[in-house]
Amino acid sequence: MADYLHGAETQRITTNTASSNGVDTAITAIIGTAPVFEVDEDYRTINEIVDINDTTAAAGYFGSTLPDYTIPSALEDFFKQGSGRIFVINVFDPSKHKASYSGTKTFVKGQITLNEKGVANLTVTKAETPAVLDTDYTFDGTVITVKSGGTLSDSDEVTINYDYADLTKLTPAEVIGGIDENGKKYGAELLYDVQSIYGVTPRIIIAPGFSNLSQVATALDIIAEKLGAVCYIDADEESSLDDIIKSRNQEGAPFNTSSERLKLLHQYVKVYNKTTNSYEYRPTSPFAAGLRANLDNSPVGGVHVSSSNHAYKGVEGVKTPVSFRLNDKSCDANKLNSYGITTIINAGGEYREWGNRNASFPQSSGIMTFESCVRAIQFFEDSIEKLTLDTIDAPLTTASKDRLLEKIRNFFNVQQSKGATLGFDVWIDPAKNPSSKLADGWLTVSYSCCPPPPMERVTYENDVTIKYLDTTGDNE
């Protein structure tokens, strides 16, 4: 008998194995500047989208953490918080953003050191006779060295000319981006192409060194709204606490916004720079983005978990001291939070993000002023749309509607088990689906959900009473 079996077997049924995990919320994007003159030409990118997953790849594409270049340090700080995936757009072009030097210098012990970075098109002339690179001298990008057997000597005075990188030539408009005369996108405009190239959408956007400019912050807000993302906006580094609070209602200031897509970050943090062998202050946004992405991916976290009261890794101090006391409404940290500004507190030597609200607070109140809730709801909406893809264009029958409802319920069941929603319901309302509308191929599915807001405030009522004195007496 061909079907005979003396034993046990398992028959796998695969009628309902569609993923219920939803879209990836930890995808991050950064727009900034990198010293690409340091890297091999094969890896040098300008106004291109680069997919980076670790610090090794970051250094290969974007160079070292030179001062004032925002991308290398931001990637370093992002990956300190944990693993992640970040799309990087460098807007610095050494061939365009440059200045020139022309003058005389004298070799000292056979060397001339140039202070500028990204030197290009170097010429060395002695008594109107051009010296030849690698014959009369060598150049390593910083030091011009006399070459033995050439026409130069160790103490010659020479005329030198060269171009060098000049970040001041970069404009905010180039960061914001657009479409050039050749029809090619550049700057932050390239964020719209991530989905078509890589099949994912950035959900966290940062532009350290530029987001503190109002025109850049406004442009990123528009992009974040279209992509269903959030954007972290840094304050100006030199602003006082009072200036930052006042800027919430100051025309033309980046913090003068009520967008639920923007998170306002007050602090600059102290970090050791291995390239310069010194300490420096850096914007918070790369730390905040890395923390947020790491929480999204964490098995004990999730998109619904607030990043507030979680520690940043790699921070050794802050530029502006912020007073903090958990029960003090007048402390600096609470005052900043009351204006919808996130700061950093020192909790026993651990520097923690402190603040749950987005920029819509305090103008608005309620669940949509919490960044974690806005992101969770966006996650629900995008995930449901994604799992609907295979249903689009199927015959509109009772069976197909039931399958769609089952998919959505399965998704929400998973999210509820993770704590991402406190409850849910999914239904088809006959009143919203008349036959005339169904005849046009249009189905309306309704659902409700509620991500948990963070426990931002706890009030204790302490009933001080003498009734417990009864237990101290000698009565039996």
Side-chain angles (χ1 to χ4, degrees):
M1 298 178 62
D3 197 37
Y4 174 80
L5 171 68
H6 181 178
E9 65 180 338
T10 299
Q11 294 181 346
R12 178 174 295 174
I13 301 173
T14 58
T15 58
N16 191 20
T17 58
S19 172
S20 299
N21 292 324
V23 298
D24 192 341
T25 59
I27 303 297
T28 307
I30 177 175
I31 305 96
T33 56
V36 290
F37 47 79
E38 290 188 335
V39 306
D40 188 281
E41 287 191 12
D42 291 340
Y43 295 94
R44 191 175 300 175
T45 60
I46 301 164
N47 283 308
E48 296 179 32
I49 304 167
V50 182
D51 185 4
I52 298 295
N53 292 279
D54 55 54
T55 53
T56 301
Y61 277 96
F62 300 108
S64 63
T65 55
L66 291 180
D68 301 322
Y69 291 90
T70 60
I71 289 174
S73 59
L75 292 176
E76 180 181 86
D77 298 336
F78 175 85
F79 285 113
K80 283 177 184 175
Q81 314 313 308
S83 60
R85 186 181 187 186
I86 183 167
F87 293 100
V88 186
I89 300 170
N90 166 52
V91 295
F92 171 69
D93 184 347
S95 68
K96 179 180 180 182
H97 306 120
K98 63 182 180 179
S100 299
Y101 173 86
S102 179
T104 58
K105 291 182 180 290
T106 301
F107 282 102
V108 177
K109 295 182 179 180
Q111 291 187 330
I112 294 174
T113 300
L114 307 183
N115 296 322
E116 298 86 358
K117 301 296 182 183
V119 173
N121 304 318
L122 172 68
T123 63
V124 179
T125 304
K126 175 184 176 182
E128 299 185 0
T129 300
V132 179
L133 178 65
D134 294 330
T135 298
D136 301 318
Y137 68 95
T138 60
F139 181 58
D140 64 1
T142 301
V143 180
I144 306 171
T145 302
V146 170
K147 191 171 177 65
S148 177
T151 61
L152 300 176
S153 62
D154 287 355
S155 58
D156 278 346
E157 182 181 81
V158 293
T159 299
I160 60 175
N161 297 276
Y162 57 87
D163 299 327
Y164 60 91
D166 186 354
L167 286 168
T168 65
K169 298 293 197 294
L170 180 69
T171 67
E174 292 175 288
V175 178
I176 295 168
I179 302 175
D180 65 19
E181 63 275 10
N182 298 317
K184 183 180 179 182
K185 292 179 182 177
Y186 63 95
E189 188 78 12
L190 284 162
L191 293 175
Y192 293 121
D193 289 346
V194 175
Q195 171 67 41
S196 62
I197 297 173
Y198 293 97
V200 294
T201 300
R203 302 297 179 177
I204 307 163
I205 302 171
I206 58 173
F210 299 100
S211 64
N212 60 311
L213 305 175
S214 59
Q215 60 268 54
V216 175
T218 299
L220 293 179
D221 183 22
I222 295 171
I223 293 173
E225 179 67 35
K226 290 182 178 180
L227 295 181
V230 295
C231 182
Y232 294 164
I233 304 297
D234 294 296
D236 186 78
E237 184 175 0
E238 303 303 325
S239 295
S240 66
L241 292 177
D242 189 52
D243 290 337
I244 291 170
I245 290 173
K246 287 180 179 177
S247 72
R248 288 293 273 130
N249 295 296
Q250 181 180 342
E251 186 175 353
F255 278 19
N256 183 23
T257 174
S258 59
S259 171
E260 65 183 32
R261 295 291 173 181
L262 300 185
K263 182 173 182 174
L264 309 179
L265 303 174
H266 145 249
Q267 196 61 270
Y268 280 70
V269 297
K270 184 179 180 181
V271 178
Y272 178 71
N273 188 330
K274 291 181 289 186
T275 300
T276 62
N277 193 30
S278 62
Y279 283 96
E280 64 188 18
Y281 289 101
R282 296 179 181 175
T284 303
S285 56
F287 292 87
L291 173 62
R292 182 65 268 170
N294 192 52
L295 275 174
D296 282 9
N297 288 329
S298 170
V300 295
V303 67
H304 62 289
V305 177
S306 174
S307 54
S308 182
N309 205 17
H310 288 81
Y312 292 142
K313 298 175 183 176
V315 174
E316 297 190 38
V318 294
K319 185 164 189 177
T320 306
V322 172
S323 63
F324 170 71
R325 187 173 171 83
L326 201 57
N327 62 358
D328 185 1
K329 295 180 181 179
S330 64
C331 72
D332 294 336
N334 195 71
K335 190 180 297 183
L336 288 164
N337 284 179
S338 72
Y339 282 89
I341 302 170
T342 296
T343 188
I344 299 173
I345 63 167
N346 187 337
E350 189 176 61
Y351 291 94
R352 299 183 186 181
E353 182 177 299
W354 195 254
N356 292 295
R357 308 279 183 158
N358 56 44
S360 68
F361 183 82
Q363 183 171 322
S364 299
S365 60
I367 199 169
M368 295 302 285
T369 66
F370 291 111
E371 184 211 10
S372 58
C373 292
V374 170
R375 295 187 75 244
I377 291 170
Q378 184 72 56
F379 166 65
F380 298 155
E381 293 173 351
D382 292 339
S383 299
I384 289 171
E385 289 177 4
K386 179 182 177 182
L387 63 84
T388 307
L389 178 61
D390 291 340
T391 305
I392 296 296
D393 298 331
L396 209 171
T397 63
T398 299
S400 64
K401 289 188 288 185
D402 288 344
R403 283 193 296 271
L404 180 58
L405 292 179
E406 184 181 16
K407 280 185 177 182
I408 299 171
R409 291 189 182 110
N410 287 342
F411 167 77
F412 273 125
N413 276 324
V414 171
Q415 300 313 312
Q416 188 168 19
S417 71
K418 294 179 177 180
T421 183
L422 300 175
F424 70 91
D425 195 10
V426 186
W427 69 98
I428 294 178
D429 185 349
K432 296 179 181 179
N433 291 277
S435 57
S436 57
K437 186 177 177 182
L438 296 175
D440 211 26
W442 186 354
L443 175 69
T444 297
V445 178
S446 303
Y447 62 88
S448 62
C449 58
C450 182
M455 193 186 301
E456 186 179 69
R457 181 172 184 169
V458 177
T459 300
Y460 292 102
E461 293 184 348
N462 182 7
D463 181 11
V464 179
T465 173
I466 64 173
K467 67 181 182 179
Y468 301 113
L469 291 172
D470 293 342
T471 64
T472 66
D474 295 330
N475 297 332
E476 295 183 4

